[in-house]
Amino acid sequence: MQPMQQQNFCQHFNFCGGCKLQDLDYDTQLFQKQKFIEKTFKDFEIKQLCNILPSPQIWYYRNKMEFIVGKEKSGRIVCGLRERNKFYKIVDLSECRISFEETKDILDSVRIWVKENSVEPYDLISHKGKIRYIVVKKSKSMSKIMLNIVVTGTKYQIEHNEQNLFKSFVEECKKIPNVSSVYLSINNKLSDNAVAEEVIHLYGEKYIVEEINGVLYKVYPQTFLQTNSYCCSLLYKSVLDEIDEGNILDIYCGSGGVTLQIVKHKNSVDKIIGVDSSQENINAAIENCELNNCSKNIEFVNSTAEEFIQKLWKSKFLTNLSTIIVDPPRPGLSKKVKSILLNLAVNKIIYISCNPNTLYEDLKILNKFYKIKKLVPIDMFPHTPHIEVVCVLEHR
């Protein structure tokens, strides 16, 4: 297939590191991603390698973005994403076509507030400054927005010495359409990320709600939900297609994304346990159970995958365990988790991967005892090189 070029949709495309494939028409993107998957996994015998599932929406599809706040040498305040291949430069965005229609309003408000209140953006080299990020989450089904300003400092300093400063931030946020919740996160770490040491609720609702396949999810600042709500329904359905009877273990369950889908839509399951190392995710998962009236045959546990799986050997849950679902972070499964999975020898493993390269490495180990029944590529991230994959493994 000859690559089909299209006019750049976003004015920042040539510089911004957010998208790399926006100059290719969508069919070409899908074709290239399909070929990449076929090439990556050519060493394995795969019973069914499916065609890539396209995203139902290819513009304004993301439900979360982390925008950096900085200052140029001229003193101009900028807010946006890293420049392509230039880590210390920030592209000052006036739009972002893969995130939200409200991006311009949000970033304009942040720039105005920073400038009018003489707030110093954080500098990665000197490690000085106050504001680092503005994290935006949006419920696509309910059209509600949560803003989370990430700053340096202490809780005492923010609640006493800087109280008026952040009251003025809230007032600026109220002018933005659809904003229903505002948080502040404290991050004093030298590393560059938006992870919070402490979170303070400043205004409005404490969470927003997203609906996927008839299941409601509470979204908090620190809880995990798949980034593309529209395409997430396809991912969940791909998993549901492979769920049979018995007990199910969902490792790296987040706030209960897959776990709740199974309880809601699969009556044949005896019991399902969701495990996650984040207490915030587990708290949200338990709340989501109550929100969906799904308290029967479901349990959530705050633990690392390694610690929990080791405890399974003494559990009655293990005797009827038929399927394990894993959705690890980009580095993939640890050696210990892979070893324990092989020792458990369950009938089926459903591996949800956001990184085909680490999935390939993990399959080299798992494939010794498991055959690959199905591989489903899903385009969760249009206009970027990233691909989500659902891999179904059956014991030999």
Side-chain angles (χ1 to χ4, degrees), residues 156-180:
Y156 181 88
Q157 176 186 357
I158 288 160
E159 291 184 339
H160 294 81
N161 303 339
E162 298 171 338
Q163 189 177 26
N164 290 334
L165 175 65
F166 292 109
K167 277 185 178 179
S168 69
F169 176 71
V170 168
E171 291 306 312
E172 194 65 43
C173 292
K174 287 180 181 179
K175 301 174 186 176
I176 304 167
N178 301 320
V179 170
S180 63

PDB file of all heavy atoms in Angstrom, residues 156-180:
ATOM      1  N   TYR A 156       1.368  22.890  54.015  1.00  0.00           N
ATOM      2  CA  TYR A 156       1.201  24.027  54.921  1.00  0.00           C
ATOM      3  C   TYR A 156       1.377  25.351  54.171  1.00  0.00           C
ATOM      4  O   TYR A 156       0.582  26.277  54.305  1.00  0.00           O
ATOM      5  CB  TYR A 156       2.212  23.947  56.069  1.00  0.00           C
ATOM      6  CG  TYR A 156       2.068  25.084  57.067  1.00  0.00           C
ATOM      7  CD1 TYR A 156       1.196  24.979  58.144  1.00  0.00           C
ATOM      8  CD2 TYR A 156       2.785  26.276  56.898  1.00  0.00           C
ATOM      9  CE1 TYR A 156       1.041  26.026  59.041  1.00  0.00           C
ATOM     10  CE2 TYR A 156       2.637  27.329  57.778  1.00  0.00           C
ATOM     11  CZ  TYR A 156       1.762  27.199  58.848  1.00  0.00           C
ATOM     12  OH  TYR A 156       1.605  28.249  59.724  1.00  0.00           O
ATOM     13  N   GLN A 157       2.425  25.404  53.369  1.00  0.00           N
ATOM     14  CA  GLN A 157       2.714  26.621  52.591  1.00  0.00           C
ATOM     15  C   GLN A 157       1.561  26.968  51.653  1.00  0.00           C
ATOM     16  O   GLN A 157       1.146  28.129  51.554  1.00  0.00           O
ATOM     17  CB  GLN A 157       4.004  26.384  51.783  1.00  0.00           C
ATOM     18  CG  GLN A 157       4.407  27.500  50.845  1.00  0.00           C
ATOM     19  CD  GLN A 157       5.605  27.086  49.996  1.00  0.00           C
ATOM     20  OE1 GLN A 157       6.157  26.011  50.152  1.00  0.00           O
ATOM     21  NE2 GLN A 157       5.997  27.966  49.090  1.00  0.00           N
ATOM     22  N   ILE A 158       1.005  25.964  51.003  1.00  0.00           N
ATOM     23  CA  ILE A 158      -0.075  26.183  50.031  1.00  0.00           C
ATOM     24  C   ILE A 158      -1.373  26.594  50.734  1.00  0.00           C
ATOM     25  O   ILE A 158      -2.071  27.498  50.277  1.00  0.00           O
ATOM     26  CB  ILE A 158      -0.272  24.912  49.176  1.00  0.00           C
ATOM     27  CG1 ILE A 158       0.914  24.761  48.214  1.00  0.00           C
ATOM     28  CG2 ILE A 158      -1.589  24.967  48.402  1.00  0.00           C
ATOM     29  CD1 ILE A 158       1.101  23.377  47.671  1.00  0.00           C
ATOM     30  N   GLU A 159      -1.687  25.942  51.845  1.00  0.00           N
ATOM     31  CA  GLU A 159      -2.953  26.212  52.532  1.00  0.00           C
ATOM     32  C   GLU A 159      -2.920  27.479  53.387  1.00  0.00           C
ATOM     33  O   GLU A 159      -3.978  28.006  53.753  1.00  0.00           O
ATOM     34  CB  GLU A 159      -3.329  25.012  53.408  1.00  0.00           C
ATOM     35  CG  GLU A 159      -3.717  23.800  52.591  1.00  0.00           C
ATOM     36  CD  GLU A 159      -4.185  22.625  53.435  1.00  0.00           C
ATOM     37  OE1 GLU A 159      -3.850  22.594  54.641  1.00  0.00           O
ATOM     38  OE2 GLU A 159      -4.879  21.745  52.886  1.00  0.00           O
ATOM     39  N   HIS A 160      -1.721  27.985  53.707  1.00  0.00           N
ATOM     40  CA  HIS A 160      -1.631  29.176  54.546  1.00  0.00           C
ATOM     41  C   HIS A 160      -1.035  30.365  53.798  1.00  0.00           C
ATOM     42  O   HIS A 160      -1.690  31.384  53.611  1.00  0.00           O
ATOM     43  CB  HIS A 160      -0.819  28.863  55.809  1.00  0.00           C
ATOM     44  CG  HIS A 160      -1.482  27.884  56.717  1.00  0.00           C
ATOM     45  ND1 HIS A 160      -1.441  26.512  56.513  1.00  0.00           N
ATOM     46  CD2 HIS A 160      -2.239  28.062  57.835  1.00  0.00           C
ATOM     47  CE1 HIS A 160      -2.118  25.895  57.465  1.00  0.00           C
ATOM     48  NE2 HIS A 160      -2.622  26.817  58.283  1.00  0.00           N
ATOM     49  N   ASN A 161       0.206  30.225  53.327  1.00  0.00           N
ATOM     50  CA  ASN A 161       0.880  31.361  52.690  1.00  0.00           C
ATOM     51  C   ASN A 161       0.387  31.647  51.276  1.00  0.00           C
ATOM     52  O   ASN A 161       0.475  32.787  50.805  1.00  0.00           O
ATOM     53  CB  ASN A 161       2.399  31.129  52.658  1.00  0.00           C
ATOM     54  CG  ASN A 161       2.976  30.898  54.037  1.00  0.00           C
ATOM     55  OD1 ASN A 161       2.363  31.282  55.037  1.00  0.00           O
ATOM     56  ND2 ASN A 161       4.142  30.276  54.109  1.00  0.00           N
ATOM     57  N   GLU A 162      -0.110  30.612  50.579  1.00  0.00           N
ATOM     58  CA  GLU A 162      -0.488  30.775  49.170  1.00  0.00           C
ATOM     59  C   GLU A 162      -1.977  30.533  48.936  1.00  0.00           C
ATOM     60  O   GLU A 162      -2.404  30.258  47.820  1.00  0.00           O
ATOM     61  CB  GLU A 162       0.345  29.819  48.296  1.00  0.00           C
ATOM     62  CG  GLU A 162       1.845  30.100  48.376  1.00  0.00           C
ATOM     63  CD  GLU A 162       2.686  29.032  47.691  1.00  0.00           C
ATOM     64  OE1 GLU A 162       2.199  27.897  47.526  1.00  0.00           O
ATOM     65  OE2 GLU A 162       3.826  29.337  47.335  1.00  0.00           O
ATOM     66  N   GLN A 163      -2.760  30.648  49.966  1.00  0.00           N
ATOM     67  CA  GLN A 163      -4.196  30.367  49.875  1.00  0.00           C
ATOM     68  C   GLN A 163      -4.890  31.263  48.856  1.00  0.00           C
ATOM     69  O   GLN A 163      -5.661  30.792  48.010  1.00  0.00           O
ATOM     70  CB  GLN A 163      -4.836  30.542  51.256  1.00  0.00           C
ATOM     71  CG  GLN A 163      -6.283  30.074  51.327  1.00  0.00           C
ATOM     72  CD  GLN A 163      -6.857  30.205  52.724  1.00  0.00           C
ATOM     73  OE1 GLN A 163      -6.422  31.037  53.511  1.00  0.00           O
ATOM     74  NE2 GLN A 163      -7.841  29.379  53.035  1.00  0.00           N
ATOM     75  N   ASN A 164      -4.602  32.538  48.888  1.00  0.00           N
ATOM     76  CA  ASN A 164      -5.239  33.487  47.961  1.00  0.00           C
ATOM     77  C   ASN A 164      -4.796  33.249  46.516  1.00  0.00           C
ATOM     78  O   ASN A 164      -5.582  33.441  45.582  1.00  0.00           O
ATOM     79  CB  ASN A 164      -4.946  34.928  48.375  1.00  0.00           C
ATOM     80  CG  ASN A 164      -5.675  35.305  49.651  1.00  0.00           C
ATOM     81  OD1 ASN A 164      -6.719  34.739  49.965  1.00  0.00           O
ATOM     82  ND2 ASN A 164      -5.123  36.258  50.402  1.00  0.00           N
ATOM     83  N   LEU A 165      -3.540  32.849  46.365  1.00  0.00           N
ATOM     84  CA  LEU A 165      -3.008  32.579  45.024  1.00  0.00           C
ATOM     85  C   LEU A 165      -3.826  31.476  44.344  1.00  0.00           C
ATOM     86  O   LEU A 165      -4.235  31.620  43.184  1.00  0.00           O
ATOM     87  CB  LEU A 165      -1.534  32.164  45.114  1.00  0.00           C
ATOM     88  CG  LEU A 165      -0.873  31.722  43.799  1.00  0.00           C
ATOM     89  CD1 LEU A 165      -0.806  32.876  42.815  1.00  0.00           C
ATOM     90  CD2 LEU A 165       0.522  31.150  44.064  1.00  0.00           C
ATOM     91  N   PHE A 166      -4.083  30.406  45.064  1.00  0.00           N
ATOM     92  CA  PHE A 166      -4.787  29.284  44.440  1.00  0.00           C
ATOM     93  C   PHE A 166      -6.298  29.465  44.432  1.00  0.00           C
ATOM     94  O   PHE A 166      -6.995  28.817  43.643  1.00  0.00           O
ATOM     95  CB  PHE A 166      -4.344  27.973  45.094  1.00  0.00           C
ATOM     96  CG  PHE A 166      -2.905  27.648  44.773  1.00  0.00           C
ATOM     97  CD1 PHE A 166      -1.925  27.746  45.741  1.00  0.00           C
ATOM     98  CD2 PHE A 166      -2.538  27.319  43.483  1.00  0.00           C
ATOM     99  CE1 PHE A 166      -0.595  27.485  45.432  1.00  0.00           C
ATOM    100  CE2 PHE A 166      -1.216  27.053  43.150  1.00  0.00           C
ATOM    101  CZ  PHE A 166      -0.237  27.140  44.132  1.00  0.00           C
ATOM    102  N   LYS A 167      -6.801  30.372  45.267  1.00  0.00           N
ATOM    103  CA  LYS A 167      -8.198  30.776  45.130  1.00  0.00           C
ATOM    104  C   LYS A 167      -8.396  31.499  43.797  1.00  0.00           C
ATOM    105  O   LYS A 167      -9.410  31.308  43.110  1.00  0.00           O
ATOM    106  CB  LYS A 167      -8.597  31.696  46.286  1.00  0.00           C
ATOM    107  CG  LYS A 167      -8.995  30.963  47.554  1.00  0.00           C
ATOM    108  CD  LYS A 167      -9.491  31.943  48.604  1.00  0.00           C
ATOM    109  CE  LYS A 167      -9.939  31.201  49.871  1.00  0.00           C
ATOM    110  NZ  LYS A 167     -10.403  32.159  50.911  1.00  0.00           N
ATOM    111  N   SER A 168      -7.413  32.322  43.431  1.00  0.00           N
ATOM    112  CA  SER A 168      -7.497  33.030  42.153  1.00  0.00           C
ATOM    113  C   SER A 168      -7.381  32.058  40.983  1.00  0.00           C
ATOM    114  O   SER A 168      -7.977  32.262  39.921  1.00  0.00           O
ATOM    115  CB  SER A 168      -6.407  34.100  42.052  1.00  0.00           C
ATOM    116  OG  SER A 168      -5.112  33.530  41.950  1.00  0.00           O
ATOM    117  N   PHE A 169      -6.629  30.953  41.169  1.00  0.00           N
ATOM    118  CA  PHE A 169      -6.539  29.919  40.133  1.00  0.00           C
ATOM    119  C   PHE A 169      -7.908  29.270  39.925  1.00  0.00           C
ATOM    120  O   PHE A 169      -8.337  29.048  38.783  1.00  0.00           O
ATOM    121  CB  PHE A 169      -5.502  28.857  40.518  1.00  0.00           C
ATOM    122  CG  PHE A 169      -5.429  27.713  39.546  1.00  0.00           C
ATOM    123  CD1 PHE A 169      -4.882  27.887  38.281  1.00  0.00           C
ATOM    124  CD2 PHE A 169      -5.925  26.459  39.883  1.00  0.00           C
ATOM    125  CE1 PHE A 169      -4.832  26.832  37.366  1.00  0.00           C
ATOM    126  CE2 PHE A 169      -5.873  25.408  38.984  1.00  0.00           C
ATOM    127  CZ  PHE A 169      -5.324  25.591  37.725  1.00  0.00           C
ATOM    128  N   VAL A 170      -8.595  28.970  41.016  1.00  0.00           N
ATOM    129  CA  VAL A 170      -9.923  28.375  40.929  1.00  0.00           C
ATOM    130  C   VAL A 170     -10.887  29.309  40.194  1.00  0.00           C
ATOM    131  O   VAL A 170     -11.670  28.865  39.336  1.00  0.00           O
ATOM    132  CB  VAL A 170     -10.471  28.041  42.338  1.00  0.00           C
ATOM    133  CG1 VAL A 170     -11.962  27.698  42.273  1.00  0.00           C
ATOM    134  CG2 VAL A 170      -9.690  26.881  42.943  1.00  0.00           C
ATOM    135  N   GLU A 171     -10.824  30.587  40.508  1.00  0.00           N
ATOM    136  CA  GLU A 171     -11.710  31.555  39.850  1.00  0.00           C
ATOM    137  C   GLU A 171     -11.448  31.597  38.351  1.00  0.00           C
ATOM    138  O   GLU A 171     -12.387  31.730  37.550  1.00  0.00           O
ATOM    139  CB  GLU A 171     -11.531  32.948  40.467  1.00  0.00           C
ATOM    140  CG  GLU A 171     -12.038  33.059  41.898  1.00  0.00           C
ATOM    141  CD  GLU A 171     -13.477  32.615  42.050  1.00  0.00           C
ATOM    142  OE1 GLU A 171     -14.329  33.064  41.242  1.00  0.00           O
ATOM    143  OE2 GLU A 171     -13.767  31.814  42.957  1.00  0.00           O
ATOM    144  N   GLU A 172     -10.194  31.468  37.945  1.00  0.00           N
ATOM    145  CA  GLU A 172      -9.853  31.434  36.517  1.00  0.00           C
ATOM    146  C   GLU A 172     -10.399  30.166  35.877  1.00  0.00           C
ATOM    147  O   GLU A 172     -10.907  30.187  34.746  1.00  0.00           O
ATOM    148  CB  GLU A 172      -8.335  31.509  36.344  1.00  0.00           C
ATOM    149  CG  GLU A 172      -7.866  31.813  34.932  1.00  0.00           C
ATOM    150  CD  GLU A 172      -8.279  33.199  34.451  1.00  0.00           C
ATOM    151  OE1 GLU A 172      -8.169  34.165  35.219  1.00  0.00           O
ATOM    152  OE2 GLU A 172      -8.704  33.287  33.270  1.00  0.00           O
ATOM    153  N   CYS A 173     -10.315  29.051  36.606  1.00  0.00           N
ATOM    154  CA  CYS A 173     -10.805  27.769  36.092  1.00  0.00           C
ATOM    155  C   CYS A 173     -12.315  27.771  35.891  1.00  0.00           C
ATOM    156  O   CYS A 173     -12.836  27.113  34.982  1.00  0.00           O
ATOM    157  CB  CYS A 173     -10.424  26.631  37.045  1.00  0.00           C
ATOM    158  SG  CYS A 173      -8.653  26.290  37.114  1.00  0.00           S
ATOM    159  N   LYS A 174     -13.024  28.473  36.736  1.00  0.00           N
ATOM    160  CA  LYS A 174     -14.487  28.524  36.645  1.00  0.00           C
ATOM    161  C   LYS A 174     -14.971  29.142  35.337  1.00  0.00           C
ATOM    162  O   LYS A 174     -16.106  28.914  34.912  1.00  0.00           O
ATOM    163  CB  LYS A 174     -15.057  29.320  37.820  1.00  0.00           C
ATOM    164  CG  LYS A 174     -14.993  28.611  39.157  1.00  0.00           C
ATOM    165  CD  LYS A 174     -15.581  29.513  40.249  1.00  0.00           C
ATOM    166  CE  LYS A 174     -15.524  28.882  41.618  1.00  0.00           C
ATOM    167  NZ  LYS A 174     -16.070  29.788  42.667  1.00  0.00           N
ATOM    168  N   LYS A 175     -14.104  29.918  34.684  1.00  0.00           N
ATOM    169  CA  LYS A 175     -14.472  30.561  33.425  1.00  0.00           C
ATOM    170  C   LYS A 175     -14.424  29.582  32.241  1.00  0.00           C
ATOM    171  O   LYS A 175     -14.943  29.876  31.162  1.00  0.00           O
ATOM    172  CB  LYS A 175     -13.522  31.728  33.131  1.00  0.00           C
ATOM    173  CG  LYS A 175     -13.498  32.804  34.212  1.00  0.00           C
ATOM    174  CD  LYS A 175     -12.420  33.842  33.896  1.00  0.00           C
ATOM    175  CE  LYS A 175     -12.255  34.853  35.032  1.00  0.00           C
ATOM    176  NZ  LYS A 175     -11.135  35.803  34.752  1.00  0.00           N
ATOM    177  N   ILE A 176     -13.787  28.425  32.446  1.00  0.00           N
ATOM    178  CA  ILE A 176     -13.585  27.460  31.361  1.00  0.00           C
ATOM    179  C   ILE A 176     -14.812  26.551  31.241  1.00  0.00           C
ATOM    180  O   ILE A 176     -15.270  25.995  32.247  1.00  0.00           O
ATOM    181  CB  ILE A 176     -12.330  26.598  31.623  1.00  0.00           C
ATOM    182  CG1 ILE A 176     -11.100  27.481  31.809  1.00  0.00           C
ATOM    183  CG2 ILE A 176     -12.101  25.610  30.480  1.00  0.00           C
ATOM    184  CD1 ILE A 176      -9.898  26.733  32.369  1.00  0.00           C
ATOM    185  N   PRO A 177     -15.359  26.379  30.047  1.00  0.00           N
ATOM    186  CA  PRO A 177     -16.535  25.519  29.867  1.00  0.00           C
ATOM    187  C   PRO A 177     -16.286  24.097  30.347  1.00  0.00           C
ATOM    188  O   PRO A 177     -15.203  23.531  30.134  1.00  0.00           O
ATOM    189  CB  PRO A 177     -16.767  25.544  28.349  1.00  0.00           C
ATOM    190  CG  PRO A 177     -16.110  26.794  27.879  1.00  0.00           C
ATOM    191  CD  PRO A 177     -14.935  27.016  28.778  1.00  0.00           C
ATOM    192  N   ASN A 178     -17.280  23.519  31.031  1.00  0.00           N
ATOM    193  CA  ASN A 178     -17.317  22.111  31.433  1.00  0.00           C
ATOM    194  C   ASN A 178     -16.403  21.731  32.601  1.00  0.00           C
ATOM    195  O   ASN A 178     -16.331  20.546  32.962  1.00  0.00           O
ATOM    196  CB  ASN A 178     -17.012  21.181  30.245  1.00  0.00           C
ATOM    197  CG  ASN A 178     -17.992  21.359  29.107  1.00  0.00           C
ATOM    198  OD1 ASN A 178     -19.190  21.529  29.327  1.00  0.00           O
ATOM    199  ND2 ASN A 178     -17.491  21.361  27.881  1.00  0.00           N
ATOM    200  N   VAL A 179     -15.662  22.689  33.185  1.00  0.00           N
ATOM    201  CA  VAL A 179     -14.812  22.362  34.338  1.00  0.00           C
ATOM    202  C   VAL A 179     -15.695  22.188  35.574  1.00  0.00           C
ATOM    203  O   VAL A 179     -16.408  23.107  35.975  1.00  0.00           O
ATOM    204  CB  VAL A 179     -13.747  23.446  34.588  1.00  0.00           C
ATOM    205  CG1 VAL A 179     -13.032  23.203  35.924  1.00  0.00           C
ATOM    206  CG2 VAL A 179     -12.730  23.456  33.457  1.00  0.00           C
ATOM    207  N   SER A 180     -15.644  20.993  36.159  1.00  0.00           N
ATOM    208  CA  SER A 180     -16.479  20.710  37.333  1.00  0.00           C
ATOM    209  C   SER A 180     -15.660  20.342  38.561  1.00  0.00           C
ATOM    210  O   SER A 180     -16.217  20.186  39.647  1.00  0.00           O
ATOM    211  CB  SER A 180     -17.451  19.564  37.021  1.00  0.00           C
ATOM    212  OG  SER A 180     -16.737  18.373  36.746  1.00  0.00           O
TER     213      SER A 180
END
